[in-house]
Amino acid sequence: MISIINFFKDNYLIILILVTGSLFKIPVIWESYPIVNNLDEPYLINSGLRVLNNIYLYKSLDPEFYTWGSFPIYVCAFLNSILILTKYFFFNPYNLSLEALSYSIQRIDFYIINRIFSFLLMNLSIFIVYYLCKKNFNYFVAILASIILVISPKYLSLSTMATVDHWHVFFSALIVFYSFELNRNFNSMKNIAIYAVVLGISVATKYYNFLFIIPIITILITRIIKKEFPYRQIILLSSISLFAFFISMPYSLINFSDFLNSLESISNNYKSHPGADSD
């Protein structure tokens, strides 16, 4: 209890900033279905519902969609299942079966629960940035960076939509934070393991997040220049990141040919439309 009080006492200003910013975002979450030119929300929601349908009918976790990584789709399916089970156990006056109830739920409810999760994850991302700046720079920089993020239009939109981009922001914040930690102490196997897990899951979210490997490679190069060869760290990083990727996206192995075809299609689309999002 005392530690919780101390936490709020030490971080009251960032909490106030996040709460104030939330006042402008929460009403938008309940606003409406996605706008016409935003296809990410329908893709994500429909993919999450398809996974639940496949689990029910075929006992399969196959998302049948590899243009995106599978991790955010599985999280979406989990959130959708929480909504369905909550209504089944607590808001089911006609004692409908689980299947019948799932079809009776309005589609907008699935959007709302995933938007709420996006909103929470984006706020957590800002807190990570705040803590990163506070630890590595100073308190003023931390507060300033937090305010800039809270009032940015991009943050507002990502906090009120169910897309994969909020995951990208979250993982970016974690990667930067642990890059600073590893640059300070590269012998910390715990931090290397966390970095590797974040790297693997982030690639299973957006494929171009493999670029998150650049900070750790830079740190490795500096160690090698100093006549060090951290082979244990390299083995740990490689094995855990690959394991995290395949656990988060198992059907990239099970349906390997479909996965490769999707990657080829994404690559061709990116080449024919320079600047397009290739994830």
Side-chain angles (χ1 to χ4, degrees), residues 42-56 58-78 164 204-205 207 245-256 258-259 262:
Y43 279 149
L44 182 60
I45 301 301
N46 292 336
S47 297
L49 290 172
R50 184 169 58 248
V51 167
L52 290 182
N53 187 63
N54 286 345
I55 292 173
Y56 181 77
Y58 310 113
K59 305 297 186 292
S60 169
L61 285 169
D62 190 358
E64 300 176 2
F65 181 72
Y66 305 107
T67 304
W68 290 349
S70 299
F71 179 73
I73 295 174
Y74 288 142
V75 173
C76 177
F78 175 72
V164 298
T205 300
Y207 298 136
F245 173 79
F246 288 121
I247 285 294
S248 304
M249 196 167 175
Y251 282 85
S252 61
L253 279 178
I254 298 171
N255 292 339
F256 190 64
D258 292 340
F259 173 63
S262 293

Side-chain angles (χ1 to χ4, degrees), residues 34-272:
I35 55 178
V36 176
N37 63 352
N38 176 26
L39 297 178
D40 284 0
E41 275 196 306
Y43 279 149
L44 182 60
I45 301 301
N46 292 336
S47 297
L49 290 172
R50 184 169 58 248
V51 167
L52 290 182
N53 187 63
N54 286 345
I55 292 173
Y56 181 77
L57 294 178
Y58 310 113
K59 305 297 186 292
S60 169
L61 285 169
D62 190 358
E64 300 176 2
F65 181 72
Y66 305 107
T67 304
W68 290 349
S70 299
F71 179 73
I73 295 174
Y74 288 142
V75 173
C76 177
F78 175 72
L79 294 171
N80 292 345
S81 67
I82 289 178
L83 175 62
I84 294 170
L85 291 173
T86 300
K87 287 186 176 288
Y88 178 75
F89 287 112
F90 301 106
F91 304 97
N92 188 14
Y94 301 108
N95 293 319
L96 296 176
S97 67
L98 198 60
E99 181 182 10
L101 182 69
S102 64
Y103 286 113
S104 70
I105 297 175
Q106 295 185 33
R107 184 58 64 96
I108 188 62
D109 289 343
F110 293 112
Y111 283 89
I112 288 173
I113 191 172
N114 281 276
R115 287 172 181 174
I116 291 173
F117 181 79
S118 298
F119 161 75
L120 295 174
L121 197 65
M122 287 298 291
N123 277 341
L124 180 57
S125 302
I126 288 184
F127 189 84
I128 293 172
V129 171
Y130 158 80
Y131 188 71
L132 162 72
C133 295
K134 182 181 177 182
K135 185 173 184 179
N136 294 281
F137 301 101
N138 57 59
Y139 185 72
F140 174 77
V141 172
I143 293 298
L144 180 61
S146 303
I147 293 174
I148 291 173
L149 287 174
V150 165
I151 65 176
S152 65
K154 189 66 174 177
Y155 168 74
L156 177 61
S157 64
L158 289 180
S159 298
T160 54
M161 291 191 300
T163 69
V164 298
D165 292 321
H166 61 271
W167 280 112
H168 178 66
V169 173
F170 175 70
F171 288 133
S172 297
L174 281 178
I175 286 291
V176 174
F177 176 79
Y178 280 101
S179 294
F180 274 90
E181 293 297 297
L182 288 174
N183 189 54
R184 186 180 296 111
N185 179 17
F186 197 66
N187 293 321
S188 172
M189 293 301 182
K190 174 185 174 182
N191 286 341
I192 288 177
I194 294 174
Y195 190 104
V197 169
V198 173
L199 177 62
I201 298 176
S202 67
V203 176
T205 300
K206 280 197 162 192
Y207 298 136
Y208 65 61
N209 283 347
F210 76 89
L211 294 173
F212 285 160
I213 201 173
I214 292 176
I216 198 71
I217 288 179
T218 304
I219 296 172
L220 283 170
I221 290 174
T222 60
R223 292 297 187 277
I224 293 173
I225 290 175
K226 294 178 181 179
K227 308 298 183 181
E228 302 174 13
F229 189 73
Y231 63 91
R232 289 188 303 169
Q233 289 89 330
I234 294 174
I235 294 173
L236 185 67
L237 177 71
S238 303
S239 57
I240 293 181
S241 58
L242 286 173
F243 180 76
F245 173 79
F246 288 121
I247 285 294
S248 304
M249 196 167 175
Y251 282 85
S252 61
L253 279 178
I254 298 171
N255 292 339
F256 190 64
S257 60
D258 292 340
F259 173 63
L260 287 182
N261 289 335
S262 293
L263 290 183
E264 183 179 358
S265 176
I266 294 168
S267 177
N268 292 335
N269 178 65
Y270 186 73
K271 291 177 182 176
S272 60

